[in-house]
Amino acid sequence: MACTRSESKTASARAFPWWGYAGIAVFGVGVWLLAADVTVWNAVWYLPAWYGYLLVLDGLILRSQGRSFLSDRRRETVALLLWSVPFWFVYEAYNLVIENWYYVFGLRSDTWGFAFSAAAFATVLPACFMHAEWLKSTRRFRAIQCRGLRVTRKTEAVMWVAGAACAILPLIWPRYAFWMVWGATLGIPEAVNYRMGAPSLLRDLESGRPARLLRLLCGGAWAGVIWEGFNYWARCKWIYTVPGLEGWKLFEMPLPGFLGFPVLAVNGFACYALLCHTLRGGRGWEGVGGFRPPVRFRCWVAAALAVLFSVSTFRMVQEKTLKSRRPLMSELAGLDARDRERLRAAGISTPERLYRAAESHEIPYLAGASSVDSLRLKNAILHAELAIHKGMGCEAATLLRNTGIDGVAGLAGADAEVLYGRINELKSEVRKPSLAEVRVWVRAADPHGKPRR
């Protein structure tokens, strides 16, 4: 880990840096790969989207205040990326119990899947902090003062009790206390930071300086909208199933859920400040002062525990939270190896491309162009239509077809509870979907048969 360089540099603006332009290019390539449905690359759209976006955002910070993460704090940026991974896996571990979201269209290789997940989760803390830093560079909230909060032993005790309650209750009553998970990494770390003299939002409020808290809250909200916007168009994505809120969504997120992103940014600050103070005695991403060497033994132990925790949680996520894998042509009903080879020669190599081809051309035309029997082709197209609907996947689509649902149009207007019961009556070794998944499929079903991401 590395500390920040001295922030005594002048804040005079600089020209937009080269990595900002590179970020625009990376983002543009990601959009093209997704729109062109390039196999595999369309599944990892999240990475060029977020890394390209963050490069541009860092360039704007540099242009605004004359210093930025990549210009002056590269070591700190690497530390943020690395510690962001176990930080987010804490929430993935909680979700194994509260089951508020699930993933679809995961990569076929668990090794590449972990690499993709780690790279994606590495953006969480940088996203929260960079948005807050940009607000700081524009001098937002700088002049705001408030009456100092009186922090007593009782106040600290309340922080400890509230933090412990948020950490424990979602595991005991997940259906009703799931929302408390967003305080699980705030109360205790913030109380410890205040007591140990580490950077503390509680101390800021005690001094009547709420600017940092306001920037984090607004930056987190901003990041949340970007997160959900990028996720909505992704192939490999997450879908929320928060009890009672399935019908109140913007993108894939229930509207009240957007309140969690500002809190996430504050949580990130508290946890990262505690890490920096414990492992290297530093002040973190926006502190002043020169480099402070880390306590090597502590860092090695913390790193080993972080890796072990992240890998273990990832494996459990693959088993429980990941509901489908990226669909393959070999999984579609009715197509044999020769049919698939002929379709590939005609430029149709994925279920997504097969469905898109069927949108543009009649089945007799596609059958003639590919030399595939029209009845087998129609069967495969209907299977593909279901498989790509809300990330259902080929296995779940097969189960639905075995209940008499041939395509997305058959889902429209269906009773989710009845359909769930029919699926569970089937004798199959394939994983059965949850009732929450079936509700997602039915709610999104188009009576005209158009699948939705």
Side-chain angles (χ1 to χ4, degrees):
M1 296 178 61
C3 287
T4 59
R5 295 182 180 181
S6 173
E7 295 191 5
S8 60
K9 288 187 175 183
T10 177
S12 59
R14 299 182 187 175
F16 194 66
W18 65 266
W19 59 83
Y21 292 107
I24 296 173
V26 169
F27 188 88
V29 170
V31 171
W32 178 81
L33 292 170
L34 183 64
D37 195 27
V38 178
T39 305
V40 179
W41 288 104
N42 59 5
V44 296
W45 138 257
Y46 191 89
L47 298 186
W50 259 113
Y51 282 95
Y53 174 82
L54 291 177
L55 287 171
V56 174
L57 182 59
D58 189 81
L60 293 174
I61 294 172
L62 179 65
R63 185 177 181 182
S64 178
Q65 69 177 10
R67 60 182 182 274
S68 71
F69 288 85
L70 294 179
S71 67
D72 297 79
R73 290 170 280 181
R74 294 189 181 96
R75 293 179 178 178
E76 193 70 50
T77 303
V78 172
L80 279 173
L81 291 168
L82 293 176
W83 284 111
S84 182
V85 178
F87 172 74
W88 182 256
F89 267 120
V90 170
Y91 297 101
E92 293 294 341
Y94 270 104
N95 190 57
L96 295 170
V97 177
I98 64 177
E99 298 182 347
N100 276 182
W101 65 86
Y102 65 87
Y103 293 99
V104 297
F105 285 6
L107 300 184
R108 290 283 168 167
S109 165
D110 284 350
T111 300
W112 284 110
F114 178 76
F116 170 62
S117 297
F121 297 163
T123 63
V124 173
L125 291 179
C128 293
F129 295 171
M130 281 188 176
H131 285 100
E133 185 75 2
W134 186 85
L135 290 170
K136 181 180 179 181
S137 73
T138 59
R139 300 177 183 272
R140 294 291 191 277
F141 310 117
R142 183 177 181 178
I144 295 180
Q145 300 288 329
C146 68
R147 182 178 179 180
L149 175 69
R150 185 167 176 264
V151 180
T152 64
R153 291 283 186 178
K154 184 177 180 180
T155 307
E156 294 182 65
V158 169
M159 295 287 290
W160 276 92
V161 172
C166 288
I168 296 171
L169 293 183
L171 301 176
I172 300 176
W173 296 300
R175 180 170 179 80
Y176 303 103
F178 62 85
W179 56 273
M180 297 180 71
V181 72
W182 301 111
T185 55
L186 176 59
I188 294 176
E190 182 59 30
V192 174
N193 289 338
Y194 179 84
R195 175 54 52 187
M196 294 175 60
S200 165
L201 297 172
L202 195 60
R203 184 173 293 104
D204 289 350
L205 295 178
E206 186 180 43
S207 304
R209 296 179 286 107
R212 180 158 55 183
L213 174 61
L214 293 174
R215 288 194 295 265
L216 285 167
L217 291 172
C218 291
W222 181 2
V225 174
I226 302 297
W227 260 313
E228 297 305 323
F230 288 166
N231 176 65
Y232 185 73
W233 298 107
R235 293 286 196 275
C236 181
K237 63 188 292 186
W238 60 86
I239 296 175
Y240 293 96
T241 56
V242 181
L245 299 176
E246 293 93 337
W248 299 81
K249 288 186 176 182
L250 175 61
F251 304 125
E252 292 291 351
M253 169 63 86
L255 288 173
F258 281 96
L259 297 175
F261 289 108
V263 181
L264 175 65
V266 175
N267 286 347
F269 175 86
C271 289
Y272 191 68
L274 180 59
L275 273 171
C276 290
H277 187 83
T278 302
L279 300 182
R280 67 190 190 196
R283 295 186 176 276
W285 60 278
E286 65 172 3
V288 296
F291 173 74
R292 297 180 183 181
V295 180
R296 294 191 179 277
F297 177 74
R298 292 181 186 176
C299 284
W300 281 113
V301 171
L305 292 175
V307 171
L308 179 62
F309 171 73
S310 299
V311 172
S312 300
T313 305
F314 172 79
R315 289 180 176 175
M316 290 186 284
V317 167
Q318 294 296 97
E319 294 176 2
K320 186 171 183 178
T321 313
L322 177 62
K323 302 301 185 180
S324 66
R325 301 277 184 171
R326 185 172 60 86
L328 303 175
M329 292 290 284
S330 60
E331 296 174 317
L332 297 182
L335 296 180
D336 57 25
R338 182 177 297 179
D339 292 334
R340 294 194 297 272
E341 187 58 36
R342 288 171 175 172
L343 287 170
R344 184 183 298 276
I348 301 174
S349 57
T350 66
E352 291 96 334
R353 289 190 176 185
L354 177 61
Y355 174 76
R356 290 173 67 176
E359 277 191 308
S360 304
H361 304 286
E362 298 290 337
I363 290 179
Y365 173 84
L366 291 176
S370 61
S371 300
V372 175
D373 178 77
S374 59
L375 289 179
R376 296 202 303 272
L377 187 60
K378 180 180 179 180
N379 192 29
I381 290 170
L382 288 173
H383 196 179
E385 178 185 296
L386 275 176
I388 63 180
H389 178 63
K390 298 306 291 183
M392 185 184 304
C394 289
E395 290 185 346
T398 299
L399 291 175
L400 275 183
R401 287 165 63 83
N402 290 338
T403 68
I405 303 292
D406 287 331
V408 174
L411 279 172
D415 186 300
E417 284 75 12
V418 172
L419 183 56
Y420 174 71
R422 286 161 56 189
I423 293 173
N424 279 278
E425 291 174 358
L426 297 173
K427 294 181 179 180
S428 174
E429 295 182 358
V430 174
R431 182 195 68 84
K432 304 287 181 64
S434 65
L435 177 57
E437 290 175 76
V438 177
R439 284 174 174 161
V440 167
W441 303 339
V442 171
R443 283 181 179 275
D446 178 12
H448 300 292
K450 185 178 178 63
R452 294 183 179 173
R453 293 185 184 176

